[in-house]
Every structure is written in C-alpha cells, then in structure tokens.
Amino acid sequence: MTLVRGLQRAVIGLFAVVLLGGAAGDPADRLADPGQEAHARVLFRDVRCLVCQSQSIDESDAPLAHDLRQVVRQQVAQGRSDDQIRAFLVSRYGQFVLLAPKASLGNAVLWLGPLLVVALGAAALLARRRATVEPPGLSAQEEAALEELSHEETF
C-alpha cells in the first residue's frame, strides 16, 4: 500500500512540475515575491522569443528566452512599470521583440507595402491594356490591291 501511495505522489509531483514549471525552469530563477513573479509571468507572454520567433519567452526553452525572462524579472524586481519594461526591451531588440507591436508608420509600411505593390502592378497592367491601339484600317489603294489579288486565279 505504501508503494502505491508513493508512486501516486511521484506522479502527482511530476505532473505539477510539468504544468506549473513552464517558463520558470529552475526555482532559483524565480523572484522571491510571488506577486512580482506573477507580474513577470504575465509580461513573458507579451515578449517574443527571438530564436523561435513564433513563441513567447513564456513558451520557449531557448537559452535566449531564458535570458530575456531574467531581464524581465530584474526589471520587475526594480519596480518598473509594464510600459517601461517594454520600452527597455524595444530599445535593445526593436519592435520585433513584442508579440503585438505598437501601431506605427514603420509597421504600417510593412503591412501595407505588399498591398501597394499589388495595386501598382494591377494599375500598370490596366494602363498597358488601354494603351494597346488597334492597327489602322487599309487605305483605299491597299483595299483595291487586295481586291485585285483575291480575284486572280492561282495555279
């Protein structure tokens, strides 16, 4: 009976580590204040892993994601606001570090640029289609020569 109970505890413990461990990794990495740690964990979901690019640093196991989590934890421990932390990360890594970058002229160009290229291409095709001119009709002299050729007998 004791063996079964021990196995149950081990399985439950392993399950808890897998579910709750997440981005925290090593317990030594966590902040001592649970409120600050929870705040940092919320910020982790907004920051892109620069190695994985499609994951947040909360989801990534990459060494750079670990380093970014540590940077965020340090900033939270220093009492910086969310905006200050994001501004710090953007100043170091650019807007790309945020999973949801702020709307800006630079981002608008990236989003609208391909649409603009397609619209310009369509306009160029339409202009080219309109520019095609039908060849002029035959002159009276050419019509007469054609009529004469069509009545000649060929052998």
Side-chain angles (χ1 to χ4, degrees):
M1 203 71 166
T2 315
L3 180 62
V4 172
R5 197 168 266 215
L7 283 173
Q8 285 177 339
R9 286 184 182 173
V11 168
I12 290 172
L14 181 62
F15 188 69
V17 166
V18 168
L19 280 180
L20 300 176
D26 186 10
D29 290 343
R30 294 183 184 179
L31 292 169
D33 180 1
Q36 285 183 334
E37 180 64 24
H39 181 211
R41 296 287 303 253
V42 169
L43 286 170
F44 293 168
R45 293 185 203 115
D46 295 338
V47 179
R48 180 186 315 271
C49 173
L50 299 172
V51 174
C52 307
Q53 296 185 3
S54 63
Q55 292 181 324
S56 69
I57 61 173
D58 191 45
E59 302 165 322
S60 176
D61 291 329
L64 182 59
H66 175 266
D67 294 344
L68 285 171
R69 286 191 297 268
Q70 290 305 101
V71 167
V72 170
R73 282 185 173 113
Q74 289 170 357
Q75 298 281 315
V76 167
Q78 292 172 2
R80 300 224 167 111
S81 71
D82 291 0
D83 290 337
Q84 289 173 325
I85 295 170
R86 285 186 187 101
F88 174 78
L89 292 171
V90 167
S91 71
R92 284 183 117 183
Y93 303 103
Q95 283 284 329
F96 186 71
V97 77
L98 301 177
L99 280 172
K102 292 181 182 178
S104 68
L105 182 60
N107 290 339
V109 169
L110 288 174
W111 281 99
L112 298 176
L115 296 175
L116 182 62
V117 169
V118 169
L120 289 173
L125 286 175
L126 288 174
R128 187 174 181 184
R129 182 175 272 174
R130 288 183 186 165
T132 58
V133 179
E134 292 201 24
L138 298 175
S139 66
Q141 186 179 18
E142 292 170 332
E143 291 267 349
L146 182 60
E147 187 67 31
E148 188 178 314
L149 286 173
S150 62
H151 288 302
E152 286 183 11
E153 290 183 31
T154 56
F155 294 104

